[in-house]
């Protein structure tokens, strides 16, 4: 253990009551700064899981695992100075003894106690609020129960389920999104005259209602719920103070939250008028050993229901516990959300409450956009704003609050791309990432002083952009500007020959219909290409279905593997891999492969992808080997290409006792569908017939796992240098939807990824990450789905086996001659020795000592 | 230099036997020579032996340009060589090793190696026209 982390004396004990996001941040902040181990920490949470991202709760319905909501890694909980008690409640606090008692009957003494108990969801006192089918929306368990109820109700009733959300604020619209994701016919009921009354003005509320109704959600504003009606103990309808009744099967109450201050009350701490533990601007209560942070803390006379100020409070308490003097700077109540796929943002003095404010409004009901900026009376300084329908300007505008905007404010409200957004000129002290309280200066410093050279490094170093991610575009711009300033060229250029990135190049080639390298480099590049741009263009042309990869000029673009359609090995020989779709092969097929291997003296091995690899083929032998394999019904396995490799499968329901779907059949269909698809990197798929996952589908770029109801699809997994587990993209798809989903995912990746970028980093680097890709693939949010579908249909329809075509073309076959001036002479530079009954390349020592057994032409090897 | 060494031109193949922007291999007195036809129908002759892997593979590398110089890239570990001089332009983290080159020309549509007789590659091709 390094000296500075060794405990100086026996540490003091900090007990944190509550296991939410803010509690976790406190543990994080304290462990980060407390190098001397002054504090041992016990975190007591009543939920059965470690702190998770409650803000992203709704994404659970869009197909994410609960585990994806985990905050950060496990490392924190493995720290010997940190104890996490899950599923445990604190029952009482004895302030005199400085001791808490828990639901398990244990007593823990503390030197400092932090209340981070958060809030509970409020349920209005309407009759029927306790019927089955009435829910709140607060925890993973709440949403899991909601989902289970909706699904079982749908089955029971054997018709579509309808539901209502009481409350049209942030939480209510989140909940409505969850219901829509569950395919529930949804109505939002709001007491106020508009949606999101605390964040947006009348115009914004109207725009929002229009957008949300466009998504199939009914909106009833100025409506008070009077009763939830029941039938046999379950919700069946609602009645209102005005207007007609509504038949519903499920109701979610999302009218707001109330601080969970009962422990503090019982311990005799001061409670605010409308609840919450009263704290000063250091988050301290009247008891010097007790602090309160997050939603339970009543700071400056109010409780704050947002995570960013909670994080700030956690940082302050961590600082204070180590003897610092941090104080609460006041809350930034800015919010940006994507509700039901609709962007909503509100920041600064959004309602123009400060005197003399000028409002600049752009409202386009046709495009579904409402944007407002509140400016100072001289129209120079930005005070706040509201963005509905398109919040792309949020990241750039929010940090400008209180500063001169420099330019026509209206320019900032025009669609993205038509106005220069503020970039790297932000003052040093401006907060860029409000979740983690990171300033522009800190981000610049991480580049100029700490040597970070890319966005990933800056994120790791400063934590900017690691929570909600809404500031990432701005962080990226600042980093790029700073790198440029320090002389580092930030370029997306492919190589010295092309200034375009791969994705840009793909687009111009596609849109301009270019088909030859000469045309492409003449129009868009310089020189004659290299080992970087040539294969990229070869791959782009192949992805666009422009014919055989060795046709005409295209031959010169292929690296040696693609050129001879085999894999170069260390001694200059090649390996040959016939395609075995889904890993299913007949005995006759196996015998044919075995016979070829035997006749050509090839070393034979089963690959990791359920195929047979034949090693040691000379370049001049490849055509005759393939003539035999093609005759036996095999085709190219594309083991050499940046293309689809294998679709691994388990045995599936045909033979397996546990299989719930035909994984082999699907794997074969998928492999035949995507065979030959050229992509930025090699891609592998897997299909498992049940959750036992024998095909290890979650370590593949696309992994499909059978469920009782269909298929779950995971994306972005891979082995390789940086192994990744795939993440859930969608659940319970029927086969047709699954295939369409995979089509779009792969084609979108093929079009937009960087050269040699695997799916996992592509997803990570994609703006908005997996959520945005999911929207593109499942909801066609970019309007390109038809185009992607058509591109895949073209690929599937025009596929032809490269080896069969090559064998039929004497010009192409001529290229496999060993020597251009002596086509019949065999290359004698290859040398082999026997090992375990097969041939392997001789080592340099074996070559020089003359113990080489086989040289040049092949000999039969038997041990 | 008092007298030019006796040169015997070795005819190896037709220019059209070579794929533009790709290498082929000729066997000259037991030595493997990579022949590269560039886009402008220039032909370069350079050693086929990759010094970094010990394999006879240079001819199978990608052909291109780097800063205006014609290049070939070893397909094994991606070192970049100048086709005209054999100079290693990018050793990919290793010690640079240059490749031997031979003067080559196209005469009447035939690729000719201008072997000088004193450089180890004798003018006696194994096969050829």
């Amino acid at each position: 253990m390094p000296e500075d982390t060794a405990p100086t004396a026996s540490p003091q004990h900090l007990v944190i009551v509550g296991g939410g996001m803010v509690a976790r941040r406190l543990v994080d902040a304290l462990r980060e700064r407390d190098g001397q181990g002054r504090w041992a920490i016990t975190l007591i949470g009543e939920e059965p899981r470690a702190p998770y991202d409650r803000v992203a709760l709704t994404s659970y319905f869009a197909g994410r695992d609960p585990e994806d909501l985990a905050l950060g890694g496990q490392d924190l909980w493995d720290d010997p100075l940190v104890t996490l008690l899950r599923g445990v409640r604190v029952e009482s606090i004895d302030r005199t003894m400085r001791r808490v008692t828990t639901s398990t009957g244990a007593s823990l003494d503390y030197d400092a106690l932090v209340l981070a108990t958060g809030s509970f969801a409020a349920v209005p006192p309407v009759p029927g609020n306790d019927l089955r089918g009435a829910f709140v929306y607060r925890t993973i368990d709440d949403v899991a129960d909601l989902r289970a109820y909706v699904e079982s109700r749908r089955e029971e009733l054997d018709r579509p389920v309808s539901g209502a959300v009481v409350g049209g604020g942030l939480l209510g619209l989140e909940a409505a999104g969850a219901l829509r994701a569950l395919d529930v016919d949804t109505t939002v009921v709001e007491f106020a005259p508009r949606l999101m009354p605390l964040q947006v003005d009348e115009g914004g509320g109207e725009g929002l209602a229009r957008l949300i109704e466009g998504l199939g959600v009914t909106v009833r504003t100025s409506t008070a719920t009077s009763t939830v009606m029941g039938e046999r103990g379950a919700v069946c309808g609602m009645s209102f103070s005005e207007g007609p009744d509504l038949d519903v099967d499920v109701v979610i109450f999302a009218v707001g939250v109330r601080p969970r201050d009962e422990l503090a009350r019982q311990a005799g701490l001061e409670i605010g008028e409308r609840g919450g533990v009263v704290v000063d601007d250091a988050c301290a209560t009247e008891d010097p050993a007790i602090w309160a942070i997050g939603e339970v803390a009543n700071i400056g006379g109010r409780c704050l229901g947002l995570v960013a100020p909670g994080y700030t409070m956690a940082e302050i308490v961590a600082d204070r516990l180590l003897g610092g003097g941090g104080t609460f700077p006041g809350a930034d109540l800015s919010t940006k959300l994507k509700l039901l796929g609709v962007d909503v943002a509100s920041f600064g003095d959004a309602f123009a409450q400060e005197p003399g404010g000028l409002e600049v409004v752009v409202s386009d009901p046709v495009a579904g956009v409402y944007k407002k900026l509140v400016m100072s009376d001289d129209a120079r300084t930005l005070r706040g704003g509201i963005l509905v329908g398109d919040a792309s300007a949020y990241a750039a505008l929010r940090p400008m609050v209180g500063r001169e905007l420099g330019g026509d404010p209206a320019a900032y409200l025009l669609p993205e791309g038509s106005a220069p957004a503020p970039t790297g000129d932000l003052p040093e002290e401006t907060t860029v990432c409000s979740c983690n309280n990171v300033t522009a200066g800190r981000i610049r410093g991480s580049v100029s002083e700490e040597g970070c050279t890319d966005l990933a490094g800056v994120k790791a170093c400063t934590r900017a952009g690691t929570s909600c991610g809404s500031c990432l575009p701005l962080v990226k711009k600042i980093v790029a500007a700073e790198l440029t300033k320090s002389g580092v060229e930030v370029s997306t250029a492919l190589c010295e020959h092309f200034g375009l990135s791969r994705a840009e190049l793909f687009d111009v080639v596609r849109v301009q219909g270019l088909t030859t390298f000469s045309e492409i480099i003449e129009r868009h590049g310089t020189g004659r290409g290299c080992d970087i741009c040539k294969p990229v263009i070869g791959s782009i042309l192949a992805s666009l279905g422009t014919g055989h990869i060795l046709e005409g000029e295209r031959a010169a673009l292929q690296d040696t593997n693609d050129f001879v359609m085999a894999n170069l090995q260390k001694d200059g020989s090649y390996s040959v891999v016939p395609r075995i779709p889904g890993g299913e092969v007949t005995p006759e097929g196996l015998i044919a492969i075995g016979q070829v291997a035997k006749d050509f003296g090839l070393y034979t091995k089963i690959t990791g992808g359920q195929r047979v690899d034949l090693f040691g083929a000379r370049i001049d032998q490849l055509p005759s080997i393939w003539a035999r394999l093609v005759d036996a019904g095999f085709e190219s396995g594309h083991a050499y290409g940046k293309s689809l490799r294998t679709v691994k499968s388990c045995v599936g329901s045909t033979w397996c006792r546990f299989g719930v779907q035909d994984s082999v059949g699907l794997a074969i269909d998928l492999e035949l569908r995507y065979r030959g698809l050229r992509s930025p990197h090699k891609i592998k798929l897997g299909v498992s017939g049940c959750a036992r996952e024998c095909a290890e589908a979650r370590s593949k770029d696309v992994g499909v796992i059978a469920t009782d109801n269909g298929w779950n699809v995971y994306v972005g997994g891979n082995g390789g240098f940086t192994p990744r587990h795939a993440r859930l993209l969608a659940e319970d798809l029927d086969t047709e939807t699954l295939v369409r989903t995979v089509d779009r995912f792969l084609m979108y990746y093929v079009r937009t990824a960087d050269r040699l970028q695997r799916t996992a980093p592509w997803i990570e680097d994609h703006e908005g990450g997996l959520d945005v890709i999911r929207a593109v693939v499942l909801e066609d949010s970019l309007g390109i789905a038809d185009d992607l579908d058509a591109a895949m249909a073209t690929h599937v329809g025009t596929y032809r086996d490269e080896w069969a075509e090559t064998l039929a073309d004497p010009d192409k076959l001529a290229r496999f001659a060993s020597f251009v001036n002596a086509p019949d002479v065999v290359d004698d530079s290859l040398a082999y020795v026997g090992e375990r009954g097969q041939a392997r390349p001789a080592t340099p020592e074996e070559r020089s000592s003359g113990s080489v057994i086989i040289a040049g032409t092949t000999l039969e090897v038997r041990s | 230099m008092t007298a030019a060494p006796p040169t015997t031109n070795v005819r190896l193949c037709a220019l059209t036997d070579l794929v533009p922007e790709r290498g082929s291999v000729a066997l000259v007195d037991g030595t493997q020579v990579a022949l590269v036809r560039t886009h402008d129908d220039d032909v370069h002759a350079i050693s086929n032996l990759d010094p970094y892997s010990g394999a006879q593979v240079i001819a199978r590398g990608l052909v291109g340009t780097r800063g205006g110089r014609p290049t070939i890239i070893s397909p094994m570990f991606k070192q970049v060589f100048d086709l005209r001089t054999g100079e290693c332009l990018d050793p990919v983290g290793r010690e640079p090793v240059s490749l031997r080159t031979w003067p080559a020309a196209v005469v009447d549509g035939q690729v000719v190696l201008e072997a000088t007789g004193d450089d180890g590659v004798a003018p006696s091709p194994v096969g050829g026209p």
Side-chain angles (χ1 to χ4, degrees):
Chain A
M1 190 183 277
E3 216 165 284
D4 63 341
T5 59
T8 44
S10 68
Q12 301 199 79
H13 189 206
L14 168 68
V15 171
I16 305 173
V17 188
M21 301 172 74
V22 168
R24 186 200 198 277
R25 169 54 66 93
L26 173 56
V27 180
D28 224 356
L30 191 56
R31 285 309 301 132
E32 196 167 277
R33 296 181 206 176
D34 182 17
Q36 296 173 315
R38 287 160 62 183
W39 289 94
I41 308 166
T42 302
L43 185 147
I44 308 173
E46 69 178 18
E47 285 192 64
R49 43 183 66 84
Y52 57 87
D53 185 356
R54 209 183 296 281
V55 175
L57 203 53
T58 301
S59 66
Y60 180 60
F61 283 98
R64 272 171 68 171
D65 279 347
E67 71 194 66
D68 288 341
L69 297 177
L71 283 167
Q74 177 64 31
D75 303 4
L76 190 58
W77 313 116
D78 292 338
D79 188 321
L81 283 175
V82 177
T83 308
L84 170 65
L85 300 178
R86 292 182 285 186
V88 176
R89 276 175 67 94
V90 172
E91 302 285 2
S92 62
I93 302 168
D94 182 338
R95 285 170 54 190
T96 324
M97 298 298 291
R98 296 199 171 173
R99 177 177 295 166
V100 296
T101 311
T102 72
S103 52
T104 61
S107 295
L108 283 89
D109 292 335
Y110 63 79
D111 299 296
L113 180 71
V114 175
L115 298 171
T117 45
S119 303
F120 60 85
V123 177
V126 295
N129 63 12
D130 54 351
L131 289 164
R132 266 192 309 122
F135 290 88
V136 293
Y137 197 83
R138 178 73 187 168
T139 65
I140 285 186
D141 287 339
D142 291 338
V143 298
D145 290 349
L146 171 66
R147 165 145 70 181
Y149 185 80
V150 165
E151 282 166 1
S152 77
R153 221 35 200 150
R154 181 177 295 138
E155 207 152 289
E156 257 169 67
L157 301 169
D158 197 24
R159 60 164 171 77
V161 171
S162 56
V165 177
V166 180
L170 286 174
L171 196 62
L173 295 181
E174 283 265 340
L179 283 181
R180 286 301 299 146
L182 288 171
D183 239 347
V184 173
D185 184 17
T186 305
T187 303
V188 172
V189 181
E190 168 59 47
F191 178 71
R194 62 172 184 274
L195 294 175
M196 290 183 69
L198 299 181
Q199 287 83 18
V200 306
D201 60 3
E202 203 183 321
E206 269 172 33
L208 193 55
R210 240 188 333 263
L211 286 167
I212 284 174
E213 292 198 315
L215 298 165
V217 174
T218 310
V219 177
R220 286 173 73 158
T221 50
S222 303
T223 303
T225 305
S226 32
T227 319
V228 177
M229 299 177 289
E231 195 178 78
R232 272 175 271 157
V235 170
C236 72
M238 298 165 79
S239 64
F240 307 96
S241 52
E242 280 175 26
D245 291 356
L246 190 64
D247 290 337
V248 288
D249 308 301
V250 58
V251 174
I252 301 176
F253 292 108
V255 296
V257 293
R258 302 281 176 272
R260 295 192 51 179
D261 51 19
E262 64 275 11
L263 259 183
R265 280 177 200 272
Q266 172 227 56
L269 291 168
E270 187 189 349
I271 303 297
E273 205 173 305
R274 298 172 64 189
V277 186
V278 174
V279 293
D280 62 16
D281 64 1
C283 299
T285 67
E286 62 201 304
D287 181 330
I290 302 182
W291 315 75
I293 57 177
E295 293 182 340
V296 75
N298 185 318
I299 194 162
R302 58 196 290 202
C303 292
L304 302 163
L306 292 170
V307 76
Y311 278 176
T312 307
M313 293 184 226
E315 299 279 349
I316 289 166
V317 171
D319 182 55
R320 292 270 172 171
L321 288 172
L322 296 173
T327 55
F328 192 70
D332 177 359
L333 298 178
S334 303
T335 39
K336 173 173 179 277
L337 284 170
K338 202 171 191 69
L339 297 162
L340 292 143
V342 177
D343 274 343
V344 186
S346 157
F347 56 96
D349 182 21
F351 292 97
Q353 285 163 333
E354 283 175 55
L358 298 175
E359 297 185 12
V360 181
V361 178
V362 170
S363 176
D364 181 351
V366 180
V369 172
Y370 174 87
K371 300 178 188 183
K372 180 178 89 173
L373 293 187
V374 179
M375 306 296 295
S376 60
D377 47 13
D378 58 0
R380 295 164 75 100
T381 304
L382 180 67
R383 287 185 179 172
I386 293 168
L387 306 168
V388 173
D390 169 18
S392 52
Y394 172 77
L397 285 171
R398 191 195 50 77
M400 298 299 288
V401 170
R403 303 183 187 285
E404 286 204 9
L405 210 44
D408 176 8
Y412 291 94
L413 299 180
L414 296 173
E416 202 180 7
S418 58
T423 54
D425 308 329
L426 289 174
E428 293 285 294
E429 69 281 9
T430 312
T431 301
V432 172
C433 171
S434 55
C435 297
N436 296 290
N437 206 13
V438 185
T439 60
R442 174 83 184 86
I443 292 168
R444 291 191 188 115
S446 72
V447 174
S448 59
E449 283 149 38
E450 296 170 62
C452 297
T453 53
D454 57 12
L455 188 60
V458 172
K459 281 166 77 175
C461 185
T462 64
R463 289 186 12 198
T466 56
S467 294
C468 79
S470 69
C471 63
L472 270 182
L474 186 60
V475 176
K476 207 168 164 181
K477 279 182 189 163
I478 296 174
V479 170
E482 194 62 20
L483 281 172
T484 310
K485 223 186 291 168
S486 32
V488 181
E489 196 186 339
V490 188
S491 169
T492 55
L494 193 56
C495 63
E496 68 169 75
H497 303 100
F498 286 95
L500 302 174
S501 69
R502 180 188 175 277
E504 290 165 341
L505 201 52
F506 197 109
D507 279 343
V508 298
V509 171
R510 183 171 64 91
V511 171
Q512 300 180 348
L514 306 178
T515 56
T516 67
F517 180 78
S518 293
E519 266 180 305
I520 296 168
I521 199 157
E522 199 173 292
R523 289 220 209 164
H524 302 289
T526 55
R528 286 300 303 178
C530 63
D531 59 323
I532 293 170
C533 58
K534 278 186 161 181
V536 163
I537 288 174
S539 164
I540 289 172
L541 291 173
S543 297
L544 289 170
T546 49
H548 197 279
I549 57 165
L550 299 185
E551 196 56 51
E553 217 193 38
R554 279 196 292 283
L557 305 179
Q558 315 299 339
D559 71 17
T560 187
N561 283 1
D562 279 287
F563 187 68
V564 304
M565 297 174 291
N567 291 38
L568 180 66
Q569 301 301 319
K570 62 190 283 184
D571 63 344
S573 70
Y574 289 86
S575 75
V576 166
V577 188
R579 180 170 302 292
I580 299 183
E584 185 182 87
V585 61
T586 61
E588 289 76 18
L590 270 182
I591 289 167
I593 292 174
Q595 197 62 52
V596 167
K598 200 172 161 192
D599 292 350
F600 287 86
L602 304 174
Y603 167 89
T604 311
K605 189 179 184 307
I606 306 291
T607 70
Q610 301 184 333
R611 313 200 278 195
V612 184
D613 210 344
L614 309 172
F615 289 85
R618 294 191 319 264
I619 193 168
D620 58 292
Q621 292 177 313
L622 292 171
S624 33
I625 290 173
W626 270 105
R628 292 269 300 272
L629 290 170
V630 168
D631 256 1
F634 289 99
E635 61 178 32
S636 169
H638 294 98
Y640 45 83
K642 297 284 179 261
S643 57
L644 176 84
R645 296 293 175 86
T646 64
V647 182
K648 190 177 179 183
S649 73
C650 64
V651 180
S653 56
T654 324
W655 289 91
C656 175
R657 283 181 291 157
F658 306 109
V660 294
Q661 306 274 353
D662 176 16
S663 58
V664 182
L666 181 68
I668 293 172
D669 288 350
L670 293 177
E671 183 153 351
L672 295 180
R673 187 169 181 80
Y674 305 125
R675 61 185 164 179
L677 179 68
R678 292 302 207 276
S679 49
H681 204 288
K682 63 182 173 187
I683 39 182
K684 297 182 184 178
L685 276 63
V687 183
S688 279
C690 76
R692 284 178 174 74
E693 251 284 68
C694 294
E696 294 161 322
R698 287 195 66 189
S699 64
K700 303 287 183 271
D701 297 284
V702 177
V704 181
I705 301 176
T707 69
D708 291 326
N709 307 315
W711 307 101
N712 286 357
V713 56
Y714 295 81
V715 293
N718 65 255
F721 187 67
T722 315
R724 307 282 176 91
H725 242 61
R727 292 160 64 196
L728 188 63
L729 181 72
E731 281 181 293
D732 294 335
L733 304 178
D734 58 58
T735 305
E736 190 189 335
T737 313
L738 170 84
V739 171
R740 190 175 62 229
T741 303
V742 179
D743 278 2
R744 289 178 185 173
F745 174 79
L746 289 179
M747 199 45 90
Y748 188 43
Y749 164 68
V750 165
R751 287 197 173 176
T752 61
D754 281 338
R755 164 185 173 264
L756 299 186
Q757 188 179 38
R758 285 177 180 255
T759 51
W762 171 67
I763 292 170
E764 216 164 87
D765 289 357
H766 194 291
E767 207 163 296
L770 186 60
D771 292 338
V772 168
I773 291 172
R774 182 182 294 116
V776 171
V777 169
L778 295 177
E779 297 148 29
D780 192 15
S781 59
L782 290 182
I784 59 170
D786 290 346
D787 198 22
L788 297 177
D789 291 347
M792 191 59 86
T794 305
H795 166 76
V796 174
T798 58
Y799 173 79
R800 282 204 296 271
D801 176 34
E802 284 162 11
W803 261 111
E805 289 202 304
T806 303
L807 291 171
D809 183 340
D811 283 350
K812 293 191 180 100
L813 283 178
R815 295 170 194 167
F816 291 87
S818 45
F819 300 108
V820 66
N821 61 340
D824 303 322
V825 176
V826 164
D827 180 359
D828 64 0
S829 69
L830 301 168
Y832 297 89
V833 295
E835 187 172 88
R836 294 188 292 276
Q838 301 201 67
R840 68 151 169 84
T843 64
E845 295 74 40
E846 286 163 339
R847 280 170 182 264
S848 56
S849 71
S851 62
V852 172
I853 294 172
I854 317 156
T857 184
T858 54
L859 294 178
E860 196 176 354
V861 193
R862 285 281 155 80
S863 59
Chain B
M1 220 190 270
T2 50
T7 50
T8 311
N9 291 346
V10 186
R11 294 201 308 166
L12 295 175
C13 60
L15 177 66
T16 51
D17 291 338
L18 303 180
V19 179
E21 299 277 294
R22 277 228 86 100
S24 297
V25 190
L27 198 56
V28 186
D29 193 23
T31 298
Q32 297 195 12
V33 176
L35 299 179
V36 179
R37 173 182 170 186
T38 49
H39 65 100
D40 47 9
D41 287 345
D42 229 358
V43 174
H44 301 274
I46 189 167
S47 171
N48 194 40
L49 181 68
D50 174 19
Y52 295 95
S53 65
Q56 297 278 359
V57 293
I58 293 297
R60 304 181 206 160
L62 281 160
V63 175
T65 56
R66 184 161 292 208
R69 304 163 79 168
T71 54
I72 190 160
I73 291 118
S74 167
M76 201 65 80
F77 301 119
K78 315 296 179 195
Q79 280 83 11
V80 180
F81 300 95
D82 187 320
L83 275 173
R84 296 171 306 192
T85 63
E87 186 190 346
C88 182
L89 302 180
D90 182 356
V92 195
R94 310 270 295 272
E95 280 298 305
V97 181
S98 295
L99 299 189
R100 182 174 176 184
T101 58
W102 290 268
V106 181
V107 179
D108 297 334
Q110 295 293 310
V111 176
V112 173
L113 196 64
E114 295 169 351
T116 54
D118 62 354
D119 58 7
V121 175
S124 55
V126 173

